[in-house]
Amino acid sequence: MSAAPRPDPAGEAARAQLRAADPQASVWVAASAGTGKTKVLTDRVLSLLLSGTDPGRILCLTFTKAAAAEMANRVAERLAAWAAADDAKLDEALCELTGRDPDDERRRLARRLFARVLDTPGGMKIQTLHAFCQSLLRRFPLEAAIAPHFEVLDERSAAELMTDAREAVLGRARDGDDAALAAALAGVTAQVAEPEFAELMRALTLERGRIERLLARPGGVAGVVAAVRRLLGVAPGETAESVREAACADAALDLLGLRLAVAALGQGTKTDKARGGAIAAWLAEPALRQAQGRVARFDDYRRCFLTKDGAVLDRLATKQPAAVPGVIEVLGSEAERLIAVGERLNAATIAEATAALLGLGAALLGTYERHKTARARLDYDDLVLAALALLERPDMAPWVLFKLDGGLDHILIDEAQDTNPEQWQIVAALAEEFFAGAGARDAVRTVFAVGDAKQSIFSFQRADPAGFERMRAHFKDRVTRIDGRWDEVPLNVSFRSTPAVLAAVDAVFARDTARDGVALDGQPIVHRPDRAGQAGLVELWPPVGPRPVDEPAPWTPPTERRAADSPHGRLARLIAGRIAAMVGGGEHLASRDRPVRPGDVMVLVRRRTAFLEELVRELKQRGVPVAGVDRMVLTDQIAVMDLVALGQFLLLPEDDLTLATVLRGPLVGLGEDALFDLAQPRGDRRLWHELRRRRGDNAAFAGADELLAGLLARADFVPPYELYADLLGRLGGRRALLARLGPEAADPIDEFMNLALGYERGHAPSLQGFLHWLAAGAVEVKRELDQDGGGRVRVMTVHGAKGLQAPIVFLPDTMQTPQHPARLLWHEDRAERAPALPLWSPRVACDEARAAAAREHHRRADRREYRRLLYVALTRAEDRLYVCGWHGRKAPPDDCWYKLIERGLADAGEAFDFECMDELGTDGWAGAGRRLANPQTAKPRAEEEAARAAAIESPLPGWAVRAPEPEPSPARPLAPSR
């Protein structure tokens, strides 16, 4: 009996990569995490170039600028290496790429490709979709009906312009110049509080494209409102108040039956009598008097029949009243009527609220559009929408596509799962001519997409994993209809993670509850490890809960200071201590045969909470190099607070508290005793006047006076940037801030100065204006962290870690689930093929059937994305994965990440006793954990990769080709690359 063939993940991956790179076929690649998506995309571009395709006819669309730069660099390095390699090395590279031996013509072409790409006007089109749209509109501004000299708004400028538009709209509504707008504002503000109003306006801007397309249809706002009313079954002019009035009228009531029921309830228990009395009092009220009539007390009347949730009470009457013939029937019939009235009330409320919101939204978006047009500005959404409108014009699109360097023959889409509907429409429009049949040129034209629906986590940008599948079906139909070659290639051999990590991922998502929304086809998720024999570890630590609270003795005065319990603080200390032990104690990383370094560690959280700041602080206290968080609100940074406080003092020297802050801060550096001596006693004099009066008392007062007086003398005459640059440079402010706050203050200071310079480009240079602009914007600074974090521990969100990886990953934020904020709901009836209609239900209690269904749809979509986010988090780990979490007094939800992982690992690995008392003392905790590990049985990864790189020397740094592996087949071996 012959032995079963040994698994060959490397060969399987090589064959899949070869299929994906086939330049004669349109290919749809469904990849898993760590399977080499960028490598496949690069190979595809190189194969197209080797097949004779003009570089200008290839368009590669990526999701981020970093991805575009990475791909361009990879292509350039490979082509440069081909140009300089000798025949043997070049043959190895071309054979690996194409699967066959090259001939002389193929060698000559490969050597010339580098120069050919360099000579392409504008270079190869490897760019983000927004960058492509911008370049398209730059070339055809008149055809797109936009200003030729337009500029693109960054996120900060777009938010500022939207704020200006909102203030203008609210001003018009408050002034009463526009009665309809004033009524719309009143209708919206009657339903939401001030914080919710700002969130609602933000939700409107996120859905701007859909709303604008709806409002552009015949009828505008009125037409959409009429369609919403028809959908909800609300008649024109019908309002919530009119529904209440109709429900309270005598004609709507079974007055005789209700009075008989009241008499019967009067013979029952105390509860029956109270209910009967309430019903009788309500019936005695005038039907339509608003102040104290039935309408005003309608909600009280409903509570006699229905629960708070709108269901019929379990018992409308006790045994004795219920024995009276007809009582239960009357009360039950009235309860059902009230339920129906409640549905109509909710429908009318939603119709009114939606109409008000659409009226306000139309004014807001219109004003925002006028502000942009007046300034010749476009935001990122405008780039996509304007490009789509241009490409959908039947009289213009063919000519535009032809002028794009003579047309496009090949379109490649990276991270296709993150493409939103409008972006997909642009891709479809660009490729439409590909499927029109025989053209003037006899050329193969292809579409290529690579993505992973399991990693679709950008729904806030309207990305939809189902769209990935819909577009696959769309392009498959278009290609096969013209008898083109179509191939669907799965990639599930992971080059990133060890078998232990991949086994844990597969075990977690083997259960239906975890797989829902991750595997769209419902099939099991299976990863094949390329790193067989590499040491791996997965540990699930017991969660951190609140400590028991000792109740104080009765009548004990509250004079004793008691430390508050912080489970997440204790977890932050544990993780920081564990990382410090790893990097400071020389812990061995077996798969790489070296000690653990700070850059090997990544801590991932789902949300930016106080836990991040505590963890970073604990790591710094232990001397562990840490890159800080990936995003920060600039005005929350202490260094920026000091600079802002100084600016506020320069604007108002009489503000004693602000001056005390500046004097005590690092820019001046007065001690506590010196400040107290200056401030007390000083009578009725201002602190600034006291400092000036006593500047000769000592050197500290003299230095403070000299610094502040000099800045005051210049504050009204120099721009903010120049003022702060002088403070930080010549006057030593930067040195003082860094000495007090540490080197991590450098980034906030630099960003503050960049904002000061940016403010002056678009505004009159004013210190007061700049500080107000800075405070109003709550600027969030994004920090790009590379693969090793610059040799420092990285602390970031899972969204920010997309595309990154690390040998060691900690997941501490696993026991909280996402909340579902109120949002603009959308009702879509695919059967009728009508456009989706917006529904705004201010509260869950206002939901009628369609709004409730839409809200539940959004809730399920959020939970599915929550689980996809877990997949992304787990697959960032290369060698080790540590899962932990904290919770408060309330038990964690059953569908939180921790519970999903715990159930997945229940039958995998082994239990172990977890205890951290030694390090944290009384702050520690203990419990049972779960561990899944595999030992090191192969060469360390560093040795293996060095051997592969040495097999074929690279003429350029960073270019390496895996050496072929021996194989009994006479065919040339295929070796996949990471």
Side-chain angles (χ1 to χ4, degrees):
M1 181 181 295
S2 61
R6 296 177 61 187
D8 181 22
E12 176 187 332
R15 289 185 286 274
Q17 290 175 358
L18 189 60
R19 285 171 55 194
D22 183 358
Q24 302 299 311
S26 292
V27 182
W28 202 267
V29 179
S32 293
T35 55
K37 292 188 288 292
T38 305
K39 166 66 169 56
V40 169
L41 202 62
T42 305
D43 282 356
R44 176 80 181 184
V45 173
L46 294 172
S47 294
L48 291 172
L49 294 174
L50 274 177
S51 69
T53 302
D54 188 318
R57 294 186 179 277
I58 300 173
L59 172 63
C60 184
L61 300 175
T62 64
F63 190 63
T64 63
K65 294 178 182 178
E70 170 70 13
M71 242 202 81
N73 289 338
R74 288 197 187 194
V75 170
E77 287 181 357
R78 296 278 291 277
L79 294 179
W82 290 358
D86 59 34
D87 285 351
K89 294 174 182 177
L90 183 60
D91 285 356
E92 293 287 356
L94 297 182
C95 179
E96 180 193 7
L97 179 65
T98 64
R100 62 180 185 271
D101 291 323
D103 54 21
D104 291 339
E105 182 180 353
R106 182 63 60 90
R107 292 190 196 95
R108 285 193 296 271
L109 174 60
R111 296 188 192 282
R112 288 196 294 261
L113 281 176
F114 186 60
R116 190 174 178 184
V117 169
L118 289 179
D119 290 339
T120 301
M124 286 190 64
K125 291 187 279 290
I126 301 176
Q127 53 195 164
T128 65
L129 192 136
H130 288 104
F132 169 76
C133 293
Q134 183 178 350
S135 64
L136 180 69
L137 297 174
R138 289 284 184 205
R139 293 192 61 181
F140 307 101
L142 300 182
E143 292 82 354
I146 61 175
H149 61 290
F150 75 87
E151 294 183 11
V152 179
L153 290 166
D154 57 25
E155 293 181 3
R156 163 73 198 211
S157 300
E160 181 185 358
L161 211 57
M162 181 61 77
T163 300
D164 292 344
R166 186 177 67 191
E167 293 301 322
V169 169
L170 295 181
R172 283 164 45 203
R174 286 192 298 263
D175 293 344
D177 297 336
D178 188 329
L181 184 59
L185 177 62
V188 171
T189 54
Q191 300 288 354
V192 295
E194 184 176 349
E196 295 170 316
F197 180 80
E199 181 64 24
L200 190 60
M201 294 298 101
R202 193 181 74 85
L204 273 180
T205 60
L206 289 177
E207 299 283 2
R208 181 163 62 89
R210 299 177 76 178
I211 293 174
E212 286 179 345
R213 285 194 297 277
L214 267 180
L215 299 183
R217 297 169 66 87
V221 175
V224 177
V225 170
V228 169
R229 283 183 169 271
R230 287 194 298 272
L231 172 68
L232 298 175
V234 179
E238 187 176 16
T239 65
E241 195 60 35
S242 67
V243 171
R244 283 173 176 269
E245 290 176 357
C248 296
D250 288 347
L253 300 170
D254 180 4
L255 293 175
L256 179 59
L258 287 172
R259 288 180 178 129
L260 289 174
V262 167
L265 289 170
Q267 307 303 314
T269 66
K270 182 178 180 181
T271 301
D272 290 327
K273 292 177 180 178
R275 179 178 293 122
I279 295 173
W282 186 82
L283 291 174
E285 293 280 0
L288 298 180
R289 189 183 305 164
Q290 298 296 321
Q292 71 245 21
R294 292 178 186 170
V295 174
R297 297 178 55 192
F298 182 65
D299 290 337
D300 295 335
Y301 175 67
R302 291 178 67 191
R303 283 194 284 272
C304 295
F305 299 86
L306 306 178
T307 66
K308 184 179 180 181
D309 296 330
V312 180
L313 292 171
D314 291 337
R315 190 164 64 171
L316 292 170
T318 58
K319 186 174 181 180
Q320 184 174 345
V324 178
V327 168
I328 291 298
E329 288 76 7
V330 169
L331 293 177
S333 176
E334 179 65 0
E336 293 298 330
R337 184 186 79 90
L338 291 175
I339 290 176
V341 170
E343 281 288 308
R344 290 199 61 78
L345 266 176
N346 287 346
T349 299
I350 293 174
E352 287 184 86
T354 303
L357 184 62
L358 287 176
L360 191 61
L364 173 66
L365 297 179
T367 304
Y368 178 55
E369 194 64 35
R370 287 191 294 273
H371 284 192
K372 288 186 298 180
T373 302
R375 296 165 174 80
R377 301 288 193 271
L378 297 179
D379 61 22
Y380 290 127
D381 286 341
D382 290 328
L383 295 176
V384 173
L385 297 175
L388 177 59
L390 176 62
L391 293 174
E392 287 183 338
R393 288 184 57 182
D395 60 331
M396 195 65 66
W399 182 76
V400 169
L401 291 173
F402 174 77
K403 294 298 289 182
L404 288 174
D405 295 323
L408 298 172
D409 286 341
H410 304 278
I411 299 176
L412 297 85
I413 305 105
D414 185 21
E415 298 288 0
Q417 78 279 350
D418 293 325
T419 306
N420 69 30
E422 289 78 19
Q423 294 170 346
W424 273 126
Q425 290 177 42
I426 289 177
V427 174
L430 290 172
E432 187 60 31
E433 190 182 345
F434 292 12
F435 317 115
R441 294 183 296 105
D442 184 16
V444 175
R445 313 183 80 179
T446 67
V447 173
F448 175 90
V450 57
D452 183 6
K454 301 187 295 297
Q455 298 188 65
S456 180
I457 58 173
F458 292 98
S459 64
F460 57 89
Q461 295 178 349
R462 301 188 55 241
D464 178 13
F468 181 70
E469 293 301 314
R470 284 196 299 270
M471 294 309 296
R472 179 193 60 78
H474 167 82
F475 283 119
K476 179 181 180 180
D477 175 68
R478 305 294 280 171
V479 171
T480 55
R481 191 180 297 177
I482 62 169
D483 296 326
R485 286 179 54 190
W486 173 263
D487 198 2
E488 297 178 12
V489 179
L491 296 179
N492 59 9
V493 176
S494 173
F495 300 100
R496 175 184 298 162
S497 303
T498 57
V501 173
L502 294 178
V505 174
D506 291 349
V508 169
F509 293 102
R511 296 175 177 264
D512 292 340
T513 52
R515 194 166 59 244
D516 179 32
V518 183
L520 300 188
D521 57 2
Q523 297 300 312
I525 296 173
V526 178
H527 297 83
R528 304 281 304 283
D530 175 68
R531 296 181 58 192
Q534 300 284 327
L537 173 68
V538 177
E539 282 190 357
L540 178 71
W541 296 350
V544 187
R547 292 177 300 201
V549 178
D550 295 330
E551 293 296 332
W555 307 107
T556 300
T559 56
E560 182 181 352
R561 183 187 295 267
R562 305 180 66 186
D565 181 32
S566 174
H568 69 267
R570 285 187 279 143
L571 183 58
R573 289 192 290 275
L574 169 64
I575 294 176
R578 183 72 180 88
I579 294 173
M582 284 180 177
V583 302
E587 186 169 324
H588 194 65
L589 193 60
S591 67
R592 288 164 170 78
D593 194 22
R594 60 168 174 79
V596 174
R597 302 165 182 162
D600 294 334
V601 182
M602 179 189 291
V603 182
L604 298 180
V605 296
R606 190 178 62 83
R607 311 150 301 154
R608 293 180 180 88
T609 62
F611 173 83
L612 268 74
E613 301 295 338
E614 290 195 42
L615 178 60
V616 171
R617 182 170 60 250
E618 294 291 339
L619 287 168
K620 289 178 180 178
Q621 289 177 354
R622 288 165 171 78
V624 178
V626 58
V629 296
D630 58 337
R631 293 194 182 190
M632 60 181 174
V633 177
L634 195 62
T635 49
D636 289 347
Q637 305 306 305
I638 296 179
V640 174
M641 292 180 181
D642 283 323
L643 294 171
V644 169
L646 177 65
Q648 291 171 339
F649 160 74
L650 297 178
L651 294 172
L652 186 64
E654 292 78 13
D655 185 346
D656 291 347
L657 180 59
T658 299
L659 176 55
T661 302
V662 174
L663 292 174
R664 189 71 182 86
L667 292 173
V668 175
L670 279 189
E672 192 77 32
D673 293 338
L675 179 60
F676 185 83
D677 178 52
L678 178 66
Q680 294 293 336
R682 68 177 191 277
D684 58 356
R685 289 186 297 275
R686 293 292 183 184
L687 188 60
W688 172 238
H689 298 154
E690 184 70 6
L691 176 63
R692 303 236 67 195
R693 187 178 72 85
R694 299 182 54 188
R695 60 182 178 270
D697 287 6
N698 55 55
F701 290 174
D705 176 73
E706 181 182 0
L707 173 68
L708 298 179
L711 291 171
L712 267 173
R714 303 184 61 205
D716 292 336
F717 303 100
V718 298
Y721 178 83
E722 184 178 336
L723 181 72
Y724 279 111
D726 187 48
L727 166 69
L728 294 171
R730 181 179 64 87
L731 299 176
R734 176 185 289 272
R735 184 170 58 253
L737 287 169
L738 296 182
R740 173 80 67 87
L741 303 175
E744 61 271 16
D747 282 350
I749 294 172
D750 292 340
E751 291 296 336
F752 178 85
M753 295 304 294
N754 289 337
L755 283 177
L757 194 59
Y759 173 81
E760 292 178 17
R761 293 194 187 104
H763 304 78
S766 153
L767 179 60
Q768 182 174 2
F770 169 63
L771 295 180
H772 173 74
W773 178 80
L774 186 69
V779 180
E780 186 178 66
V781 178
K782 302 176 184 178
R783 309 171 70 194
E784 296 294 337
L785 302 181
D786 53 17
Q787 282 292 356
D788 67 351
R792 296 175 292 178
V793 174
R794 287 165 289 172
V795 183
M796 56 200 314
T797 63
V798 181
H799 280 94
K802 181 77 179 294
L804 300 179
Q805 60 199 53
I808 301 171
V809 170
F810 287 84
L811 291 184
D813 183 12
T814 60
M815 307 198 80
Q816 291 74 36
T817 54
Q819 302 300 315
H820 306 288
R823 64 170 81 187
L824 192 62
L825 305 172
W826 291 86
H827 176 272
E828 188 171 4
D829 191 340
R830 295 189 182 275
E832 297 183 4
R833 295 185 178 180
L837 289 174
L839 298 175
W840 179 44
S841 178
R843 293 170 299 281
V844 174
C846 295
D847 286 354
E848 56 84 56
R850 294 169 187 82
R855 192 183 298 277
E856 178 61 20
H857 171 77
H858 285 298
R859 191 196 69 81
R860 287 197 304 268
D862 286 346
R863 290 302 174 121
R864 287 168 177 161
E865 183 172 73
Y866 174 71
R867 292 187 283 271
R868 292 194 296 272
L869 195 65
L870 172 61
Y871 176 84
V872 173
L874 294 174
T875 54
R876 297 311 94 193
E878 297 177 3
D879 294 22
R880 301 186 197 173
L881 175 65
Y882 297 94
V883 180
C884 41
W886 78 87
H887 64 86
R889 302 288 173 191
K890 187 177 179 181
D894 193 55
D895 60 344
C896 69
W897 282 1
Y898 189 92
K899 295 289 187 181
L900 295 177
I901 297 171
E902 185 179 43
R903 286 193 290 269
L905 296 182
D907 300 324
E910 58 182 5
F912 73 99
D913 292 330
F914 176 90
E915 185 174 5
C916 63
M917 298 297 183
D918 291 341
E919 181 177 349
L920 299 180
T922 57
D923 279 345
W925 72 100
R930 200 82 187 168
R931 178 183 289 128
L932 178 62
N934 62 271
Q936 181 75 23
T937 60
K939 284 184 178 181
R941 190 175 187 185
E943 291 183 17
E944 178 187 338
E945 293 179 346
R948 289 171 176 167
I952 301 175
E953 283 188 8
S954 169
L956 285 180
W959 181 67
V961 179
R962 178 179 291 191
E965 300 174 3
E967 187 173 293
S969 169
R972 292 296 298 268
L974 303 177
S977 296
R978 290 180 177 84

